[in-house]
Amino acid sequence: MKAPRLLFIITFLCSFFHATPEADSCSSNLNLQVPIHFDTTNLQCLSVWDAQSFILRYVQTSADIWSFILSTPDTNSYIAMGFSINGGMVGSSAMVGWVASRGASGGIKQYYLGGVTTNQVVPDKGNLQVIANSTFITLQSSHLFMVFQLETTTEPLSSLIFATGSTGLFPAPPNFALTKHLDKVSTRIDYSKANVGSSQGAGNSSQVDGSLEATDSCSSKLNLSVPLLFDTTNLNCLPVWNTQGFILRYSQTSPNIWSFILSAPNPNSYIAMGFSPSGGMVGSSAIVGWISSSGAGGGMKQYYLTGLTPNLVVPDRGNLKILSNSTFITSQSSRLYMTFQLQTNQPLSQLIYAFGPNGMFPSAPSFALTQHQDKVSITLDYATGSSASGNYSYMKLKRSHGVLNILGWGILIIMGAIVGRYFKEWDPFWFYFHASVQSLGFLLGVIGVITGLVLNNQLRVDVSLHKALGIIIFVLGCLQIMALLGRPKKESKVRKYWNVYHHNTGRILIILAVANIFYGIQLGKEGRGWNIGYGIVLAILLTMAITFETQLCNRD
């Protein structure tokens, strides 16, 4: 009994591993079990849709014949490869293939996309000169291989569209109607270099140019290996992030069309260009593109930044009106070139640039964006082509906020407290000095709190703890001012209770103020200089307080 059971288990495991899908890639050999009518030894190969594992192989078989093999995982639906004049679906001609019911039946046809509805997608029509008897589709190792040859005296159209249909839905006689695609992506291909640029859409892909790294600059000529849909001869050019080598080229193509090309060294992660209404990240809409340095994935999407956490950065949403089929990203000479066009009279002038952590890419199905590794903001004058760091506009406000609060809550309030405790023998000078210094410190502190609220409203950053401490300090300061106005006479019975309240409220205010100042310096990323500077001032004040306290104890 044991031997048959063991034999059954071995047979089951062998059949399981044999049925496991084998991934296709450009590094693997093409080994089809059916004969092909053309030579496959010199096929060019590239990944054209990494999220769906679409692999395209092609070769110019003769002067006027081009041969194609499209490999995709079997999705139990049709697969399509379209050739477009302008990058759009309408007006394109597509080769569509399917194998239904796990190999029971299948077919391959040319379709002409006369419109966006299914009744406008016409079978057996199109502008492709398909060579007779050259087309077939086969299912092998859970992959579909669609083969066809085109007759053309020039290169095939370079704007390509790839699509997958809904699961279980196939073209069927007599009309062979095509159901709406489940997902699609568009690319542009340079046939001579086997290089593609990825257009906007879920699961975009691209092939990385493995040439030596070269720098880009506004003094160098833009020489992309993929065709663009707009004139690049009169582009404005400026470096927008010198430390990271970001170069922006743009032009107003027509009264309401603006064209952009962002060039950046490939960080093996995403690059992003955001348009902000306030200069802050929250509320901005960003164009994000990526191509891995290994060629394993690529894509381009619009994101809407509703908050600071990754789950609040929403793909395929935003306020940018992106011109249809105008977007693509390509890698060339170890740099990324991200191209897009916006339909607007005037783009927002406050721009944000960022790049992600190495090796982290948006991926299907959520295309979630990881937190940026670094970012910068600028303000761009489109008319003059000049820019200024967007940090300047709020850096002054941020530093004013810090200086006012340090001077008000962190120095003057402490000085006034020292005078109030240790110089009472200089009556009434000590009282007027104490009240004046505390009032000045409170006034500067209030202005500092207001600048902080304005800064928070502009940047919309998450500083909830710092903000809460600032409000508590402000409330305690108000209570001290009210205590000053309601100060009872020395001979009053409640004076001792008032003293306990006034002194302890002041101590709590000072402790919270000092802690919040150091925390604010950390949040503002002002560096060690501010910490050391305020630390020295605080040490001097503390030394004075200890010295005076020692003298006071000795007198008592």
Side-chain angles (χ1 to χ4, degrees), residues 200 251-260 275 287 302 318-327 340-348:
Q200 185 176 355
S251 67
Q252 187 175 10
T253 311
S254 67
N256 64 339
I257 301 295
W258 290 76
S259 304
F260 295 88
F275 295 78
I287 300 291
Q302 179 178 184
N319 298 320
L320 302 176
K321 293 183 178 180
I322 304 172
L323 211 61
S324 178
N325 302 308
S326 72
T327 63
F340 59 95
Q341 289 181 292
L342 300 182
Q343 186 173 356
T344 177
N345 292 327
Q346 177 74 43
L348 293 174

Side-chain angles (χ1 to χ4, degrees), residues 387-426:
S387 67
S389 173
N391 293 328
Y392 294 156
S393 59
Y394 73 86
M395 277 296 291
K396 289 183 179 179
L397 190 61
K398 184 177 74 170
R399 291 187 173 178
S400 298
H401 166 70
V403 169
L404 287 168
N405 282 293
I406 290 174
L407 187 58
W409 303 116
I411 296 178
L412 291 178
I413 293 293
I414 297 176
M415 289 177 59
I418 290 174
V419 171
R421 178 168 176 79
Y422 303 114
F423 290 87
K424 288 185 178 179
E425 67 271 17
W426 293 8

Side-chain angles (χ1 to χ4, degrees), residues 449-469:
V449 170
I450 293 172
T451 58
L453 294 174
V454 173
L455 189 65
N456 181 246
N457 184 60
Q458 286 186 2
L459 299 182
R460 300 184 185 181
V461 293
D462 185 14
V463 289
S464 52
L465 178 59
H466 182 64
K467 183 179 178 180
L469 288 173

Side-chain angles (χ1 to χ4, degrees), residues 45-59:
C45 182
L46 63 157
S47 172
V48 290
W49 193 2
D50 296 281
Q52 299 292 345
S53 300
F54 274 44
I55 302 294
L56 179 65
R57 295 175 173 90
Y58 68 92
V59 67

